Coordinates of all heavy atoms in Angstrom, one line a residue:
M1 N -43.2 14.8 33.2 CA -43.4 14.8 34.6 C -42.7 13.5 35.2 O -42.2 13.6 36.3 CB -44.9 14.8 34.9 CG -45.2 14.8 36.3 SD -44.7 16.4 37.1 CE -45.3 16.2 38.7
K2 N -42.9 12.4 34.5 CA -42.3 11.2 35.0 C -40.8 11.3 35.1 O -40.2 10.7 36.0 CB -42.7 10.0 34.1 CG -44.1 9.6 34.2 CD -44.4 8.4 33.3 CE -45.8 8.0 33.4 NZ -46.1 6.8 32.5
S3 N -40.2 12.0 34.2 CA -38.7 12.1 34.2 C -38.2 12.9 35.4 O -37.2 12.6 36.0 CB -38.2 12.7 32.9 OG -38.7 14.0 32.8
F4 N -39.0 13.9 35.8 CA -38.7 14.7 37.0 C -38.8 13.9 38.3 O -38.0 14.0 39.2 CB -39.6 16.0 37.1 CG -39.2 17.0 36.1 CD1 -40.2 17.4 35.2 CD2 -38.0 17.6 36.1 CE1 -39.9 18.4 34.3 CE2 -37.7 18.6 35.2 CZ -38.6 19.0 34.3
V5 N -39.8 13.0 38.3 CA -40.0 12.1 39.5 C -38.8 11.2 39.6 O -38.3 10.9 40.6 CB -41.4 11.4 39.4 CG1 -41.5 10.3 40.5 CG2 -42.5 12.4 39.5
L6 N -38.5 10.6 38.4 CA -37.4 9.6 38.4 C -36.0 10.3 38.8 O -35.2 9.8 39.5 CB -37.2 9.0 37.0 CG -38.4 8.0 36.6 CD1 -38.2 7.5 35.2 CD2 -38.4 6.8 37.6
L7 N -35.8 11.5 38.3 CA -34.6 12.3 38.7 C -34.6 12.6 40.1 O -33.6 12.5 40.8 CB -34.5 13.6 37.8 CG -34.1 13.4 36.4 CD1 -34.2 14.8 35.7 CD2 -32.7 12.8 36.3
G8 N -35.8 12.9 40.7 CA -35.9 13.2 42.1 C -35.5 12.0 42.9 O -34.8 12.0 43.9
I9 N -36.1 10.8 42.5 CA -35.8 9.6 43.2 C -34.3 9.2 43.1 O -33.7 8.8 44.1 CB -36.7 8.4 42.7 CG1 -38.1 8.7 43.0 CG2 -36.2 7.1 43.2 CD1 -39.1 7.8 42.4
A10 N -33.7 9.4 42.0 CA -32.3 9.1 41.8 C -31.5 10.0 42.6 O -30.5 9.6 43.2 CB -31.9 9.3 40.3
A11 N -31.8 11.3 42.7 CA -31.1 12.3 43.6 C -31.2 11.9 45.0 O -30.2 11.9 45.8 CB -31.6 13.7 43.3
L12 N -32.3 11.4 45.5 CA -32.5 11.0 46.9 C -31.6 9.8 47.2 O -31.0 9.6 48.2 CB -33.9 10.7 47.2 CG -34.8 12.0 47.4 CD1 -36.3 11.6 47.6 CD2 -34.3 12.8 48.6
M13 N -31.6 8.8 46.2 CA -30.8 7.6 46.4 C -29.3 8.0 46.5 O -28.6 7.4 47.3 CB -31.1 6.7 45.3 CG -32.5 6.0 45.3 SD -32.9 5.0 43.9 CE -31.6 3.8 43.9
L14 N -28.9 8.9 45.6 CA -27.4 9.3 45.6 C -27.1 10.0 46.9 O -26.0 9.9 47.5 CB -27.1 10.1 44.4 CG -27.0 9.3 43.1 CD1 -26.8 10.3 42.0 CD2 -25.9 8.3 43.2
A15 N -28.0 10.9 47.4 CA -27.8 11.7 48.6 C -27.7 10.8 49.8 O -27.0 11.1 50.8 CB -28.9 12.7 48.7
S16 N -28.4 9.7 49.8 CA -28.4 8.8 50.9 C -27.1 7.9 51.0 O -26.8 7.3 52.0 CB -29.6 7.9 51.0 OG -29.6 7.0 49.9
C17 N -26.4 7.8 49.9 CA -25.2 7.0 49.8 C -24.1 7.8 50.6 O -23.9 9.0 50.3 CB -24.7 6.8 48.4 SG -25.9 5.7 47.5
T18 N -23.4 7.1 51.4 CA -22.2 7.7 52.1 C -21.0 6.9 51.7 O -21.1 5.7 51.7 CB -22.4 7.8 53.6 OG1 -22.6 6.5 54.1 CG2 -23.6 8.7 53.9
T19 N -19.9 7.6 51.5 CA -18.7 6.9 51.3 C -18.0 6.8 52.7 O -18.0 7.7 53.5 CB -17.8 7.7 50.3 OG1 -17.5 9.0 50.8 CG2 -18.4 7.8 49.0
P20 N -17.4 5.6 52.9 CA -16.7 5.5 54.2 C -15.4 6.3 54.3 O -14.8 6.6 53.3 CB -16.3 4.0 54.2 CG -16.3 3.6 52.8 CD -17.3 4.5 52.1
D21 N -15.1 6.8 55.5 CA -13.9 7.6 55.7 C -12.7 6.7 55.4 O -12.7 5.5 55.7 CB -13.9 8.2 57.1 CG -14.9 9.2 57.3 OD1 -15.4 9.8 56.3 OD2 -15.3 9.5 58.5
V22 N -11.7 7.4 54.9 CA -10.4 6.7 54.7 C -9.6 6.8 56.0 O -9.4 7.9 56.5 CB -9.6 7.3 53.5 CG1 -8.3 6.6 53.3 CG2 -10.5 7.4 52.2
E23 N -9.2 5.7 56.5 CA -8.5 5.7 57.8 C -7.0 5.7 57.5 O -6.5 5.1 56.6 CB -8.8 4.4 58.6 CG -10.3 4.3 59.0 CD -10.7 5.4 60.0 OE1 -9.8 5.8 60.8 OE2 -11.8 5.9 59.9
P24 N -6.2 6.5 58.4 CA -4.8 6.5 58.2 C -4.2 5.1 58.5 O -4.6 4.4 59.3 CB -4.3 7.5 59.2 CG -5.6 8.2 59.7 CD -6.7 7.3 59.4
I25 N -3.1 4.9 57.8 CA -2.3 3.6 58.0 C -0.8 4.1 58.2 O -0.5 5.2 58.0 CB -2.4 2.7 56.7 CG1 -1.9 3.4 55.5 CG2 -3.8 2.2 56.6 CD1 -1.8 2.5 54.3
P26 N 0.0 3.2 58.7 CA 1.4 3.6 58.9 C 2.0 4.1 57.6 O 1.9 3.5 56.5 CB 2.1 2.3 59.3 CG 1.0 1.5 59.9 CD -0.2 1.8 59.2
G27 N 2.5 5.3 57.7 CA 3.1 6.1 56.5 C 2.2 7.3 56.2 O 2.6 8.2 55.5
S28 N 0.9 7.3 56.6 CA 0.0 8.4 56.4 C 0.5 9.6 57.2 O 1.0 9.4 58.4 CB -1.4 8.0 56.8 OG -1.9 7.0 56.0
I29 N 0.3 10.8 56.7 CA 0.7 12.0 57.5 C -0.1 12.0 58.8 O 0.5 12.5 59.8 CB 0.4 13.2 56.6 CG1 1.2 13.3 55.4 CG2 0.6 14.5 57.5 CD1 0.9 14.4 54.4
T30 N -1.3 11.6 58.9 CA -2.1 11.7 60.1 C -2.2 10.4 60.8 O -3.1 10.2 61.6 CB -3.5 12.2 59.7 OG1 -4.1 11.3 58.8 CG2 -3.5 13.6 59.2
Y31 N -1.3 9.5 60.6 CA -1.4 8.2 61.3 C -1.4 8.3 62.8 O -2.2 7.7 63.5 CB -0.2 7.3 60.8 CG -0.3 5.9 61.5 CD1 -1.3 5.1 61.3 CD2 0.8 5.5 62.3 CE1 -1.4 3.8 61.9 CE2 0.7 4.3 62.9 CZ -0.3 3.4 62.7 OH -0.4 2.2 63.3
D32 N -0.5 9.0 63.4 CA -0.4 9.2 64.8 C -1.1 10.5 65.3 O -0.6 11.2 66.2 CB 1.0 9.2 65.3 CG 1.6 7.8 65.3 OD1 0.9 6.8 65.6 OD2 2.8 7.6 65.0
G33 N -2.1 10.9 64.6 CA -2.8 12.2 64.9 C -2.3 13.3 63.9 O -1.6 13.0 62.9
Q34 N -2.7 14.5 64.1 CA -2.4 15.6 63.2 C -0.9 15.9 63.3 O -0.3 15.8 64.4 CB -3.3 16.8 63.5 CG -4.7 16.6 63.1 CD -4.9 16.5 61.6 OE1 -4.3 17.2 60.8 NE2 -5.9 15.6 61.3
P35 N -0.3 16.4 62.2 CA 1.1 16.8 62.3 C 1.3 18.0 63.3 O 0.4 18.8 63.5 CB 1.5 17.2 60.9 CG 0.2 17.3 60.2 CD -0.8 16.6 60.9
R36 N 2.5 18.1 63.9 CA 2.7 19.1 64.8 C 2.8 20.5 64.2 O 2.4 21.5 64.8 CB 4.1 18.9 65.5 CG 4.0 17.7 66.5 CD 5.3 17.6 67.3 NE 5.2 16.4 68.1 CZ 6.1 15.5 68.0 NH1 7.2 15.6 67.2 NH2 6.0 14.4 68.8
T37 N 3.3 20.6 63.0 CA 3.3 21.8 62.3 C 2.0 22.1 61.5 O 1.4 21.2 61.0 CB 4.5 21.9 61.3 OG1 4.3 20.8 60.3 CG2 5.8 21.7 61.9
K38 N 1.6 23.3 61.5 CA 0.4 23.7 60.8 C 0.7 24.3 59.5 O 1.7 25.0 59.4 CB -0.4 24.7 61.7 CG -0.9 24.2 63.0 CD -2.0 23.2 62.8 CE -2.6 22.8 64.2 NZ -3.7 22.0 64.0
L39 N -0.1 24.1 58.5 CA 0.1 24.7 57.2 C -0.5 26.1 57.2 O -1.7 26.3 56.9 CB -0.5 23.9 56.1 CG 0.0 22.5 56.0 CD1 -0.8 21.6 55.1 CD2 1.4 22.5 55.4
T40 N 0.3 27.1 57.7 CA -0.3 28.4 57.9 C -0.3 29.3 56.6 O -1.1 30.2 56.5 CB 0.6 29.2 58.9 OG1 2.0 29.2 58.5 CG2 0.5 28.5 60.3
K41 N 0.5 29.0 55.6 CA 0.5 29.8 54.4 C -0.4 29.3 53.3 O -0.8 30.0 52.4 CB 1.9 30.0 53.9 CG 2.8 30.8 54.8 CD 4.2 31.0 54.3 CE 5.0 31.8 55.2 NZ 6.4 32.0 54.7
A42 N -0.8 28.0 53.4 CA -1.6 27.4 52.4 C -3.1 27.8 52.6 O -3.6 27.9 53.7 CB -1.5 25.9 52.5
P43 N -3.8 28.1 51.5 CA -5.2 28.5 51.6 C -6.1 27.3 52.1 O -5.7 26.2 51.7 CB -5.6 29.0 50.2 CG -4.4 28.8 49.3 CD -3.3 28.2 50.1
I44 N -7.1 27.6 52.8 CA -8.1 26.6 53.2 C -8.6 25.9 51.9 O -8.9 26.5 50.9 CB -9.2 27.2 54.0 CG1 -8.8 28.0 55.2 CG2 -10.3 26.1 54.3 CD1 -8.0 27.2 56.2
G45 N -8.7 24.6 52.0 CA -9.1 23.8 50.8 C -8.0 23.3 49.9 O -8.3 22.6 48.9
S46 N -6.8 23.7 50.3 CA -5.6 23.2 49.5 C -5.5 21.7 49.5 O -5.9 21.1 50.5 CB -4.3 23.8 50.0 OG -4.3 25.2 49.9
V47 N -5.0 21.2 48.4 CA -4.8 19.7 48.3 C -3.3 19.4 48.6 O -2.4 20.1 48.1 CB -5.2 19.2 46.9 CG1 -4.9 17.7 46.8 CG2 -6.6 19.5 46.6
V48 N -3.1 18.4 49.5 CA -1.8 18.0 49.9 C -1.7 16.5 49.5 O -2.6 15.7 49.8 CB -1.6 18.1 51.4 CG1 -0.2 17.6 51.8 CG2 -1.7 19.6 51.8
H49 N -0.6 16.1 48.8 CA -0.4 14.7 48.4 C 0.7 14.1 49.2 O 1.7 14.8 49.6 CB 0.0 14.7 46.9 CG -1.1 15.1 46.0 ND1 -2.2 14.4 45.7 CD2 -1.3 16.3 45.4 CE1 -3.0 15.0 44.9 NE2 -2.5 16.2 44.7
N50 N 0.6 12.8 49.5 CA 1.6 12.1 50.2 C 1.8 10.7 49.5 O 0.8 10.1 49.2 CB 1.2 11.9 51.7 CG 2.2 11.1 52.5 OD1 3.4 11.3 52.3 ND2 1.7 10.2 53.4
T51 N 3.0 10.3 49.2 CA 3.3 9.1 48.6 C 4.3 8.3 49.5 O 5.3 8.9 49.9 CB 3.9 9.3 47.2 OG1 3.0 10.0 46.4 CG2 4.2 8.0 46.5
F52 N 4.0 7.0 49.7 CA 4.9 6.2 50.5 C 4.8 4.8 50.1 O 3.8 4.4 49.5 CB 4.7 6.4 52.0 CG 3.3 6.1 52.5 CD1 2.9 4.9 53.0 CD2 2.3 7.1 52.3 CE1 1.6 4.6 53.4 CE2 1.0 6.8 52.7 CZ 0.7 5.6 53.3
R53 N 5.8 4.0 50.5 CA 5.8 2.5 50.2 C 4.9 1.8 51.2 O 5.0 2.0 52.4 CB 7.2 2.0 50.2 CG 8.0 2.5 49.1 CD 9.3 1.7 49.0 NE 10.0 1.9 47.8 CZ 9.7 1.4 46.6 NH1 8.7 0.6 46.5 NH2 10.4 1.7 45.6
V54 N 4.2 0.8 50.7 CA 3.4 -0.2 51.5 C 3.8 -1.5 51.0 O 4.5 -1.7 49.9 CB 1.9 0.1 51.4 CG1 1.5 1.4 52.0 CG2 1.4 0.0 49.9
L55 N 3.4 -2.6 51.7 CA 3.7 -3.9 51.3 C 3.2 -4.2 49.9 O 2.0 -4.1 49.7 CB 3.1 -4.9 52.3 CG 3.5 -6.4 52.1 CD1 5.0 -6.6 52.3 CD2 2.8 -7.2 53.1
G56 N 4.1 -4.5 49.0 CA 3.7 -4.8 47.6 C 3.4 -3.6 46.7 O 3.0 -3.9 45.6
G57 N 3.7 -2.4 47.1 CA 3.4 -1.3 46.2 C 3.7 0.0 46.8 O 4.5 0.2 47.7
V58 N 3.0 1.0 46.2 CA 3.1 2.4 46.7 C 1.8 3.0 46.9 O 0.8 2.8 46.1 CB 3.9 3.3 45.6 CG1 3.9 4.7 45.9 CG2 5.3 2.7 45.3
A59 N 1.6 3.7 48.0 CA 0.3 4.3 48.3 C 0.4 5.8 48.0 O 1.4 6.5 48.3 CB 0.0 4.2 49.8
D60 N -0.6 6.3 47.3 CA -0.7 7.8 47.0 C -1.9 8.3 47.8 O -3.1 7.8 47.5 CB -0.9 8.0 45.5 CG 0.3 7.6 44.7 OD1 1.4 8.0 45.0 OD2 0.1 6.9 43.7
E61 N -1.7 9.2 48.7 CA -2.8 9.8 49.5 C -3.1 11.2 49.1 O -2.2 11.9 48.7 CB -2.5 9.7 51.0 CG -2.4 8.3 51.5 CD -2.2 8.2 52.9 OE1 -1.5 9.1 53.5 OE2 -2.6 7.3 53.6
T62 N -4.3 11.6 49.3 CA -4.8 13.0 49.0 C -5.4 13.5 50.3 O -6.3 12.9 50.9 CB -5.8 13.1 47.8 OG1 -5.2 12.5 46.7 CG2 -6.1 14.5 47.5
Y63 N -5.0 14.7 50.7 CA -5.5 15.4 51.9 C -6.1 16.7 51.5 O -5.7 17.3 50.5 CB -4.4 15.6 52.9 CG -3.8 14.4 53.5 CD1 -2.8 13.7 52.9 CD2 -4.3 13.9 54.8 CE1 -2.2 12.6 53.5 CE2 -3.7 12.8 55.4 CZ -2.7 12.1 54.7 OH -2.2 11.0 55.3
I64 N -7.1 17.2 52.3 CA -7.6 18.5 52.1 C -7.4 19.3 53.4 O -7.7 18.8 54.5 CB -9.2 18.5 51.8 CG1 -9.4 17.6 50.5 CG2 -9.7 19.9 51.6 CD1 -9.0 18.2 49.2
L65 N -6.9 20.5 53.2 CA -6.6 21.4 54.4 C -8.0 22.0 54.9 O -8.7 22.6 54.1 CB -5.7 22.5 54.0 CG -5.2 23.4 55.1 CD1 -4.5 22.7 56.2 CD2 -4.4 24.6 54.6
Q66 N -8.3 21.7 56.1 CA -9.6 22.1 56.7 C -9.5 23.5 57.3 O -8.4 24.0 57.5 CB -9.9 21.1 57.8 CG -10.1 19.7 57.4 CD -11.2 19.5 56.4 OE1 -12.4 19.7 56.7 NE2 -10.9 19.2 55.1
P67 N -10.6 24.2 57.6 CA -10.6 25.5 58.2 C -9.8 25.7 59.5 O -9.2 26.7 59.8 CB -12.0 25.9 58.4 CG -12.8 25.0 57.4 CD -12.0 23.8 57.3
D68 N -9.7 24.6 60.3 CA -8.9 24.6 61.5 C -7.4 24.3 61.3 O -6.7 24.1 62.2 CB -9.5 23.7 62.6 CG -9.5 22.2 62.2 OD1 -9.0 21.9 61.1 OD2 -9.8 21.4 63.0
R69 N -7.0 24.2 60.0 CA -5.7 23.9 59.6 C -5.3 22.5 59.8 O -4.1 22.1 59.7 CB -4.6 24.8 60.3 CG -4.8 26.3 60.0 CD -4.4 26.6 58.6 NE -4.8 27.9 58.2 CZ -4.5 28.4 57.0 NH1 -4.0 27.6 56.1 NH2 -4.9 29.6 56.7
S70 N -6.2 21.6 60.1 CA -5.9 20.2 60.1 C -6.0 19.6 58.7 O -6.6 20.2 57.8 CB -6.9 19.5 61.1 OG -8.2 19.5 60.6
L71 N -5.5 18.4 58.6 CA -5.5 17.7 57.3 C -6.6 16.6 57.3 O -6.6 15.8 58.3 CB -4.2 17.1 56.9 CG -3.1 18.1 56.6 CD1 -1.7 17.4 56.5 CD2 -3.4 18.9 55.3
K72 N -7.4 16.5 56.3 CA -8.4 15.5 56.2 C -8.0 14.5 55.1 O -7.9 14.9 54.0 CB -9.8 16.0 56.0 CG -10.9 15.0 55.9 CD -12.2 15.5 55.7 CE -13.3 14.4 55.6 NZ -14.6 14.9 55.3
L73 N -7.8 13.3 55.4 CA -7.5 12.2 54.4 C -8.8 11.9 53.7 O -9.7 11.5 54.2 CB -6.9 11.0 55.1 CG -6.6 9.8 54.3 CD1 -5.5 10.2 53.2 CD2 -6.1 8.7 55.1
V74 N -8.7 12.2 52.3 CA -9.9 11.9 51.5 C -9.8 10.8 50.5 O -10.8 10.3 50.0 CB -10.4 13.2 50.8 CG1 -10.8 14.3 51.8 CG2 -9.3 13.8 49.9
R75 N -8.6 10.4 50.2 CA -8.4 9.4 49.2 C -7.1 8.7 49.3 O -6.1 9.3 49.7 CB -8.5 10.0 47.8 CG -8.4 9.0 46.7 CD -8.5 9.7 45.4 NE -8.4 8.7 44.3 CZ -9.1 8.7 43.2 NH1 -10.0 9.6 43.0 NH2 -8.9 7.7 42.3
R76 N -7.1 7.4 49.1 CA -5.8 6.6 49.0 C -5.9 5.6 47.8 O -6.9 4.9 47.7 CB -5.6 5.8 50.3 CG -4.3 5.0 50.2 CD -4.1 4.1 51.4 NE -4.1 4.9 52.7 CZ -5.0 4.7 53.6 NH1 -6.0 3.9 53.5 NH2 -4.9 5.4 54.7
D77 N -4.9 5.6 47.0 CA -4.8 4.7 45.9 C -3.5 3.9 46.1 O -2.5 4.5 46.4 CB -4.7 5.4 44.5 CG -6.0 6.1 44.2 OD1 -7.1 5.5 44.4 OD2 -5.9 7.3 43.8
V78 N -3.5 2.6 46.0 CA -2.3 1.8 46.1 C -2.0 1.2 44.8 O -2.9 0.5 44.1 CB -2.5 0.7 47.2 CG1 -1.3 -0.2 47.3 CG2 -2.9 1.3 48.5
R79 N -0.8 1.4 44.3 CA -0.3 0.9 43.0 C 0.6 -0.3 43.3 O 1.5 -0.2 44.1 CB 0.4 2.0 42.2 CG -0.4 3.1 41.8 CD 0.4 4.2 41.1 NE 1.2 5.0 42.0 CZ 2.5 5.2 42.0 NH1 3.2 4.6 41.0 NH2 3.1 5.9 42.9
S80 N 0.4 -1.3 42.6 CA 1.3 -2.5 42.7 C 2.6 -2.2 42.0 O 2.7 -1.6 41.0 CB 0.6 -3.7 42.1 OG 1.5 -4.8 42.1
E81 N 3.7 -2.7 42.6 CA 5.0 -2.6 42.0 C 5.6 -4.0 41.8 O 6.8 -4.2 42.1 CB 5.9 -1.7 42.9 CG 5.6 -0.3 42.8 CD 6.8 0.6 43.3 OE1 7.6 0.1 44.0 OE2 6.8 1.8 42.9
N82 N 4.8 -4.9 41.3 CA 5.3 -6.2 41.1 C 5.8 -6.3 39.6 O 5.0 -6.6 38.7 CB 4.3 -7.3 41.3 CG 3.9 -7.3 42.8 OD1 4.8 -7.1 43.6 ND2 2.7 -7.7 43.1
F83 N 7.0 -6.0 39.4 CA 7.6 -6.0 38.0 C 8.6 -7.1 38.0 O 9.6 -7.1 38.6 CB 8.3 -4.7 37.7 CG 7.3 -3.5 37.7 CD1 7.2 -2.7 38.8 CD2 6.6 -3.3 36.6 CE1 6.4 -1.6 38.8 CE2 5.7 -2.2 36.6 CZ 5.6 -1.3 37.7
Y84 N 8.3 -8.2 37.2 CA 9.1 -9.3 37.1 C 9.7 -9.3 35.7 O 9.0 -9.1 34.7 CB 8.4 -10.6 37.4 CG 7.9 -10.7 38.8 CD1 6.5 -10.5 39.1 CD2 8.7 -11.0 39.8 CE1 6.0 -10.6 40.4 CE2 8.3 -11.1 41.1 CZ 6.9 -10.9 41.4 OH 6.5 -11.0 42.7
T85 N 11.0 -9.6 35.6 CA 11.6 -9.7 34.3 C 12.3 -11.1 34.2 O 12.7 -11.6 35.2 CB 12.7 -8.6 34.1 OG1 13.7 -8.7 35.1 CG2 12.1 -7.3 34.1
D86 N 12.3 -11.6 33.0 CA 12.9 -12.9 32.8 C 14.4 -12.8 32.4 O 14.8 -11.9 31.7 CB 12.2 -13.7 31.8 CG 10.8 -14.1 32.3 OD1 10.7 -14.3 33.6 OD2 9.8 -14.2 31.5

């Protein structure tokens, strides 16, 4: 019984956690609003990737196609490209 109570408390704690939205930056597909062209042939929920250069590295973004055909930015990873050779 105690394990069910602990699991319930853990589930409530996780449910109350929210992740902040990823905001577009220069180079993001949705930086100046949604793109003019709609993805009409892609199924809803499709994943779209975008890669572009940022200061000191490369940004990899992941978007999800929404039911209204807009793109939602859900993740951004920035990889450093500081490769020095002697």
Side-chain angles (χ1 to χ4, degrees):
M1 182 68 177
K2 288 182 183 179
S3 62
F4 287 118
V5 172
L6 290 175
L7 285 174
I9 292 171
L12 285 174
M13 289 173 61
L14 286 174
S16 66
C17 294
T18 59
T19 57
D21 290 337
V22 181
E23 295 295 325
I25 60 174
S28 298
I29 296 173
T30 57
Y31 179 63
D32 286 326
Q34 292 292 322
R36 290 189 185 121
T37 58
K38 298 286 185 178
L39 298 169
T40 57
K41 294 184 179 181
I44 302 303
S46 294
V47 176
V48 177
H49 296 281
N50 181 38
T51 302
F52 58 96
R53 290 193 168 282
V54 293
L55 186 63
V58 175
D60 295 311
E61 293 182 330
T62 304
Y63 294 84
I64 303 289
L65 185 62
Q66 301 296 294
D68 64 355
R69 297 289 172 182
S70 65
L71 292 172
K72 180 179 180 182
L73 178 58
V74 293
R75 182 179 179 141
R76 178 184 305 113
D77 296 312
V78 178
R79 295 179 280 126
S80 175
E81 284 198 343
N82 294 330
F83 297 99
Y84 296 103
T85 59
D86 293 329

